[in-house]
Every structure is written in structure tokens, then in C-alpha cells.
């Protein structure tokens, strides 16, 4: 029996990556929009300098895509393939630098490590801001490593530094937590041997100014809107009634471990003590450790005060994953990680494209269940609009407003609820005073969310959304009469 040819060792990993890409493809074509996906798409239909929840770059791109590809599910998630391509290109470059003796093997092994981590498979497949954040942070870190390598060699390479800064600025224009990468850059330049002297030149400071200048639309929007986004992230969410409890940190760590995968967590722990070879490998590892440490420390601190979502940690692992091929050289560990990722990926596929698994088990998960049936709701709403042509369309929470908008291809649907969201900046209550509304609610977000701003609310119909013989969601449509805005 002979060993496999070294030139073919990559083939099993490529096959596994193909399976994981098939899962991503199925999500792309079959998963109805998650509420926040539709919400961000509607942002793109309302161009603005920035938005309440996040900076504007992703919404700008979605608005552009809608003009090119139209208003449909494929357009919604098309950018995820572009950002995956950027990520793959950088992974290939790193593979050639980290394993020049067999870059194909290293690349496909790294692709499996990336795609089989549910954190990256899921957030890289849906049209949240994170898929763009991943690509931009990875690209920014990539050029910072190249700058450091060039600078340590001959004192040049500042064009690479400015490119890293440009990409950092765009990443922060996508999502605020990209700022962790900026802090990691500062730590890296201060403490990486030989790099501190670069701070004696004007270039790092001008590069930092470039990153900050790119945030001008966000600064201006907040100035005009009373610093609404900054107040939300720095003050309002800290006083949210769903404050983090004593067990929040443990929950965050466990959920993050599940989504990242135990094998990746094990390899990351080993990477922290791994002695990297001098040059590109060492520089990449040191920058990755700075970013992981700063992001992780921030998440741990935040967990004591606010509920922390597992995907907030994604920036911390952006530069770690492409280095884990240095650690996970035993195929069985990569196969175990792949099996874990495929199982979770198939769960994602079933849960969010066929039928919610909690429903099959006799439970209910509102976020998942409320993804289903919006085309059916839209058809009924269209019929009711014909009967009540002067009524405006509203729902009781921002996500369902966006999902109904997406199904109707109509960005005029509004959310009337006590939650502060982007709809507060689009909806003019005074202009709707005295009008009736076709109001879509459900048993979780009831008509009570409207805060008594209608004279009367009458149930017109309830729609049972059924999948595989199970009722998964029950939206209700009401006629709400005589809208009277409150004084909020």
C-alpha cells in the first residue's frame, strides 16, 4: 500500500469544502429573509449618510445591488459571494506564504476550518453586516502584515500601510466593532520589535486620520440626529430592561464555543503558545493575537453589563482562522471539525429553510418561526389594500415590517412599536394622523405594541403558516382605525 501523492493530499479537504459550500448555496436560494436581513435591505432603499443601528456601507451596497439585480432573494445575499471570494483570495496568498511546499493542501485545509465553523458559515451566508466586516478586516490585517514585513526589511512599504488604513476605515464604516482592529494595529506597532520607530514618521498618524476621515458620514449623521446611534450603543442599550445577569458571561462563552467549534477553540489555545517562524508567519501571528486579545477582553467586560451576542466576537477570530492550519496538521482533527460543522450546517439548513426544529420538538422560537410565510401574508395584505385603499401598512416590530416590505417589494411599510429603531427616522406620525392602517401582528408582538395610538383595532384574519403539517407561525392582520400619534 502506498501513501497518497503529496500533490493530491488536498483533495479530501476540497471535497469537504464543496459540501459546506453546497450548504451555503442552499441557504442562498432557499432561506427566506431573516428579519434583520430584510431590515438592512430596506435601509438600502432609504439612502442616508448613516443609520441608527449600524454605519452605512453595507446598506449603501445593498441599495446599489438592488438597482443592478432587482429586488429578490438572490440580490439580497449576492454580496456574500463577493466577500467570500475576497476571503478566499487572501487565504490563498497566506497559504503560499505559510506553506510554500504545498500551498494547495494548506489552502483547502484552511477553507474547511473556516467554512466548518458555524460562526463563519452562518454569518458569511446571510446578509448581515458581518460578511462584509469579515472580508474588510481580513484584508486590512493582511496589508498591515505586508507593511510590517516590508518596513522591517528596508524601511519602506507605507503605501501598504495606507491601504490597510483605508480598509480599516471601510470596515468601521460597516460595523462599529471593527474599531478593535484599529486598537490592535496600535498595539502591534507599539510592541512588535522594530515597528515602534515607524511611529516617529508621520505615516501611521496620517493613515489613522484616513481611517477616521472615512467615518465622516457617520459623524455628520449623528450630529444631525442628536448622536442617536452613539447614544444607543454607549448609553441606551446599557439600561435595557434585558440587562445581563450573573450567568451571561458563561452563556456567551458556551454559545461562542458551540458556534466556533471546540476544535477551533483548542487550536486557538495552542496557537497562542506556538513559536512562529520569523517573518510573515511571526508577524501574522502577533497581529492575530493582538486582535483576539483585545476583542475577547472587550466581550468579557461587556458581558457583565449587557447581553453579548456570539457573533460580536467574529472580528477577534478573523486573523486567527487562516493560521490554524499551522496547528491542525493531523487530518483526523480537521475531519472531526468538518463533521461537526456539517452537522450544524445541516441543522441550519433544516431549521431555516424547511421547518423550524423547535416546532418539530413541540417548542417555539419566534425569530426562526417568523421567517416563514411572508409571501402568503403579502398576498392577503394586497387583497386587503384593495378593500382599504387609503390605509397605510404597519406591523408591530421592525423585523416583521421589513419582512413584509421585502415580500411586497414596497419600502413604505412602517413599524409602530415602543422599540427605538430605524423606522423612527422614516415614519412621520403627524402625516399619518387620522388615517387607518392595515396592521400585521402576531401572538408574540401583539397589537398592544402600538401603545393605544389607534381608536380601535379589529381582527380581519389570521394566517396559519404550515410546514410539514405543523403550524410554525400565526401572523394576524388587523384593521386599525384613526391613528393618533402619541407625544413621544
Amino acid at each position: 500500500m502506498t501513501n497518497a501523492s503529496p500533490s493530491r493530499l488536498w483533495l479530501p479537504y476540497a471535497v469537504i469544502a464543496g459540501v459546506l459550500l453546497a450548504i451555503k448555496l442552499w441557504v442562498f436560494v432557499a432561506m427566506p429573509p431573516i428579519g434583520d436581513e430584510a431590515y438592512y435591505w430596506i435601509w438600502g432603499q432609504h439612502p442616508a449618510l448613516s443609520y441608527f443601528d449600524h454605519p452605512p456601507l453595507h446598506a449603501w451596497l445593498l441599495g446599489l445591488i438592488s438597482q443592478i439585480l432587482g429586488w429578490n432573494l438572490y440580490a439580497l445575499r449576492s454580496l456574500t459571494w463577493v466577500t467570500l471570494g475576497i476571503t478566499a483570495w487572501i487565504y490563498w496568498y497566506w497559504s503560499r506564504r505559510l506553506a510554500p511546499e504545498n500551498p494547495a493542501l494548506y489552502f483547502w485545509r484552511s477553507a474547511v476550518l473556516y467554512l466548518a465553523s458555524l460562526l463563519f458559515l452562518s454569518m458569511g451566508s446571510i446578509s448581515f453586516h458581518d460578511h462584509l466586516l469579515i472580508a474588510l478586516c481580513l484584508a486590512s490585517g493582511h496589508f498591515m502584515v505586508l507593511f510590517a514585513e516590508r518596513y522591517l526589511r528596508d524601511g519602506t512599504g507605507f503605501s501598504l500601510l495606507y491601504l490597510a488604513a483605508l480598509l480599516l476605515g471601510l470596515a468601521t464604516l460597516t460595523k462599529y466593532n471593527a474599531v478593535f482592529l484599529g486598537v490592535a494595529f496600535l498595539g502591534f506597532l507599539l510592541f512588535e520589535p522594530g515597528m515602534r520607530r515607524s511611529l516617529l514618521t508621520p505615516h501611521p498618524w496620517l493613515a489613522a486620520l484616513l481611517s477616521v476621515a472615512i467615518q465622516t458620514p457617520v459623524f455628520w449623521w449623528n450630529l444631525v440626529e442628536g448622536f442617536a446611534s452613539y447614544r444607543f450603543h454607549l448609553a441606551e442599550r446599557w439600561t435595557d430592561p434585558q440587562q445581563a445577569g450573573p450567568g451571561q458571561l458563561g452563556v456567551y462563552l458556551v454559545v461562542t464555543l458551540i458556534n466556533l467549534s471546540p476544535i477551533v477553540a483548542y487550536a486557538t489555545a495552542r496557537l497562542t503558545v506556538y513559536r512562529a517562524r520569523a517573518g510573515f508567519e511571526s508577524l501574522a501571528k502577533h497581529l492575530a493575537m493582538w486582535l483576539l486579545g483585545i476583542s475577547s477582553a472587550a466581550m468579557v467586560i461587556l458581558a457583565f453589563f449587557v447581553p453579548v451576542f456570539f457573533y460580536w466576537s467574529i472580528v477577534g477570530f478573523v486573523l486567527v482562522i487562516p493560521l490554524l492550519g499551522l496547528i491542525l496538521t493531523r487530518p483526523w482533527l480537521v475531519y472531526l471539525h468538518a463533521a461537526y460543522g456539517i452537522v450544524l450546517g445541516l441543522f441550519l439548513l433544516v431549521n431555516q429553510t424547511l421547518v423550524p426544529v423547535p416546532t418539530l420538538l413541540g417548542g417555539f422560537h419566534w425569530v426562526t418561526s417568523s421567517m416563514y410565510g411572508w409571501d402568503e401574508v403579502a398576498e392577503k395584505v394586497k387583497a386587503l389594500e384593495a378593500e382599504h385603499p387609503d390605509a397605510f401598512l404597519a406591523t408591530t416590530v421592525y423585523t416583521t415590517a421589513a419582512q413584509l416590505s421585502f415580500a411586497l417589494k414596497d419600502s413604505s411599510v412602517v413599524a409602530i412599536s415602543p422599540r427605538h429603531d430605524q423606522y423612527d427616522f422614516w415614519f412621520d406620525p403627524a402625516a399619518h394622523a387620522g388615517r387607518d392602517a392595515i396592521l400585521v401582528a402576531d401572538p408574540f408582538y401583539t397589537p398592544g405594541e402600538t401603545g393605544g395610538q389607534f381608536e380601535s383595532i379589529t381582527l380581519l384574519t389570521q394566517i396559519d403558516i404550515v410546514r410539514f403539517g405543523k403550524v410554525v407561525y400565526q401572523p394576524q392582520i388587523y384593521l386599525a382605525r384613526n391613528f393618533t400619534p402619541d407625544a413621544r
Side-chain angles (χ1 to χ4, degrees), residues 370-386:
S370 65
M371 292 168 56
Y372 287 86
W374 284 101
D375 287 338
E376 298 164 62
V377 175
E379 287 302 313
K380 187 61 179 177
V381 166
K382 287 178 185 177
L384 290 170
E385 279 190 293

Side-chain angles (χ1 to χ4, degrees), residues 146-439:
L146 293 183
F147 160 66
E149 184 182 38
R150 180 83 62 83
Y151 183 79
L152 291 174
R153 186 172 66 227
D154 56 22
T156 64
F158 290 108
S159 61
L160 296 167
L161 174 64
Y162 286 109
L163 188 51
L166 172 65
L167 291 163
L168 171 62
L170 293 175
T172 311
L173 199 64
T174 300
K175 201 168 182 182
Y176 291 122
N177 58 339
V179 73
F180 297 141
L181 180 59
V183 179
F185 283 174
L186 178 60
F188 178 74
L189 293 176
L190 278 171
F191 296 103
E192 183 66 22
M195 293 304 299
R196 188 178 302 175
R197 67 178 185 269
S198 71
L199 296 173
L200 299 176
T201 74
H203 298 291
W205 310 105
L206 292 173
L209 284 175
L210 173 62
S211 295
V212 173
I214 292 171
Q215 310 316 307
T216 299
V218 182
F219 298 149
W220 185 257
W221 184 90
N222 274 280
L223 184 64
V224 171
E225 299 293 348
F227 300 98
S229 185
Y230 295 150
R231 283 191 290 109
F232 171 66
H233 288 288
L234 298 176
E236 292 174 12
R237 75 184 317 153
W238 295 70
T239 57
D240 191 287
Q242 295 181 340
Q243 285 273 343
Q248 168 63 26
L249 177 59
V251 171
Y252 161 72
L253 292 174
V254 170
V255 174
T256 301
L257 176 65
I258 292 171
N259 281 274
L260 194 61
S261 109
I263 299 297
V264 166
Y266 157 77
T268 302
R270 284 194 55 197
L271 181 66
T272 62
V273 296
Y274 170 77
R275 181 169 295 181
R277 293 171 293 182
F280 182 89
E281 183 178 302
S282 176
L283 293 168
K285 186 224 167 173
H286 292 168
L287 181 57
M289 292 298 99
W290 271 106
L291 182 54
L292 177 64
I294 289 166
S295 174
S296 299
M299 294 302 103
V300 168
I301 293 169
L302 284 172
F304 286 102
F305 301 98
V306 295
V308 176
F309 299 104
F310 70 91
Y311 53 85
W312 290 4
S313 63
I314 205 164
V315 170
F317 288 92
V318 162
L319 298 177
V320 167
I321 298 294
L323 294 171
L324 295 185
L326 299 169
I327 306 298
L328 296 173
T329 56
R330 296 180 179 177
W332 71 270
L333 283 171
V334 182
Y335 295 153
L336 184 60
H337 170 69
Y340 179 86
I342 289 171
V343 168
L344 291 186
L346 291 174
F347 174 87
L348 173 73
L349 186 151
V350 171
N351 190 55
Q352 296 183 258
T353 70
L354 298 176
V355 60
V357 173
T359 300
L360 292 177
L361 300 177
F364 179 75
H365 184 253
W366 182 85
V367 172
T368 304
S369 290
S370 65
M371 292 168 56
Y372 287 86
W374 284 101
D375 287 338
E376 298 164 62
V377 175
E379 287 302 313
K380 187 61 179 177
V381 166
K382 287 178 185 177
L384 290 170
E385 279 190 293
E387 298 175 22
H388 306 278
D390 295 326
F392 66 96
L393 301 181
T395 76
T396 52
V397 66
Y398 76 98
T399 50
T400 59
Q403 286 163 309
L404 179 58
S405 282
F406 192 87
L408 289 169
K409 296 181 173 60
D410 178 0
S411 61
S412 69
V413 182
V414 301
I416 302 177
S417 79
R419 186 192 188 278
H420 199 191
D421 55 49
Q422 184 60 40
Y423 283 99
D424 295 334
F425 300 89
W426 297 330
F427 179 51
D428 182 358
H432 292 75
R435 292 181 60 187
D436 297 342
I438 297 171
L439 180 70

